[in-house]
Amino acid sequence: MHLFSSLKGRIAAVVTAIAAMAGTAAAQTAAPVMYVTADDGTETDETRYDGSAPMTARFEARPQDVGAYQARYEWRFTRQGQETPFLVRYDENTSYTFTESGQFSVELMVTFTLQGDTIEYVMDEPFSVSISESRLELPNVFTPNGDGINDVYRVKEGYKSIISFEATVFSRWGRKIYAWTDLEGGWDGRSGGSECPAGAYYLVVKAQGADGRRYNIKKTINILRGYSEDTGGGSLP
């Protein structure tokens, strides 16, 4: 009876040890996140992104219950329709700026090792990034009259995936008046602190889209100083 009880206790101890080992092995995992920064500077945790370029995303592996295990990280960046990643990163945390249009997936693989024991983690579903084709439009006129409406000449709203931009304004005699490179910037109708007279000016825009499209726009734009929303009658082109 004593021998049976002792044997029973040993079996229970072995079963408990095996269960503990299994529990430890199952605990090594990860909880990866993708952070996307909005135009206003706020950062949100997303699993999918659908927007324009350039877009910088930050990725964190967030390993769980690593314990004494050594973790090896592998971030795979792949374009839709291709089997081989175009980029592989081996850092626990990384970031990447998407500058090309298309559909992309970002997948994390983690290998945990301890004294010959190997545990592999793969994301159930990769992060998805969709970058739209480029779009760029500019108006023909603006009205810098101080009424707070259309006072600055700038790119029309709705532009997408423009990764480089340069605009320059010239007088009708070819003199450079103003230039800007920020898509959110623009020209207020002044030169050297003084108001430019109403009339026609020459605009040259050079830009590139995330889809590889190159914009080389040359057009005449007009300053209308006597125009107001109350008397103008309709929207400006």
Side-chain angles (χ1 to χ4, degrees):
M1 185 69 177
H2 177 71
L3 178 61
F4 177 76
S5 299
S6 177
L7 181 60
K8 183 178 179 181
R10 291 181 181 179
I11 293 174
V14 170
V15 171
T16 301
I18 293 174
M21 291 175 63
T24 300
Q28 281 72 48
T29 185
V33 293
M34 175 176 71
Y35 290 107
V36 175
T37 303
D39 293 337
D40 61 2
T42 58
E43 195 175 57
T44 56
D45 176 359
E46 306 287 348
T47 58
R48 301 179 62 88
Y49 173 83
D50 188 352
S52 64
M55 187 280 284
T56 299
R58 185 167 60 86
F59 302 90
E60 294 185 1
R62 294 194 176 184
Q64 308 289 308
D65 300 318
V66 177
Y69 280 78
Q70 296 293 320
R72 180 182 182 275
Y73 305 94
E74 186 173 312
W75 293 95
R76 295 185 174 184
F77 296 75
T78 308
R79 179 185 285 272
Q80 187 181 58
Q82 297 182 358
E83 296 182 0
T84 304
F86 65 87
L87 176 66
V88 179
R89 295 271 180 83
Y90 298 99
D91 302 312
E92 179 178 340
N93 304 317
T94 189
S95 63
Y96 181 75
T97 300
F98 293 85
T99 58
E100 297 182 1
S101 61
Q103 305 282 337
F104 304 90
S105 66
V106 182
E107 182 180 35
L108 172 66
M109 300 178 64
V110 187
T111 302
F112 300 95
T113 58
L114 176 62
Q115 298 178 353
D117 184 23
T118 300
I119 301 168
E120 293 186 349
Y121 164 85
V122 180
M123 293 177 66
D124 292 333
E125 184 175 354
F127 297 120
S128 175
V129 176
S130 177
I131 302 296
S132 65
E133 295 183 349
S134 64
R135 177 182 177 184
L136 180 66
E137 296 179 348
L138 296 111
N140 297 322
V141 300
F142 72 118
T143 59
N145 53 19
D147 64 358
I149 302 173
N150 201 33
D151 281 336
V152 177
Y153 183 88
R154 53 167 50 100
V155 172
K156 287 186 177 182
E157 294 183 1
Y159 65 85
K160 295 181 179 180
S161 293
I162 301 299
I163 59 176
S164 68
F165 173 85
E166 181 182 0
T168 308
V169 178
F170 298 90
S171 71
R172 67 186 70 182
W173 298 281
R175 181 173 66 88
K176 181 179 177 179
I177 296 176
Y178 191 76
W180 71 101
T181 57
D182 183 356
L183 281 162
E184 293 295 325
W187 179 41
D188 63 0
R190 294 175 177 269
S191 177
S194 301
E195 291 185 350
C196 293
Y201 294 83
Y202 195 58
L203 175 72
V204 175
V205 173
K206 294 182 178 180
Q208 183 175 347
D211 49 5
R213 180 179 177 183
R214 293 184 180 276
Y215 296 82
N216 190 9
I217 301 171
K218 299 177 180 179
K219 63 187 298 183
T220 299
I221 62 175
N222 287 273
I223 291 179
L224 302 180
R225 292 199 179 277
Y227 180 94
S228 70
E229 291 296 317
D230 295 331
T231 62
S235 60
L236 295 173

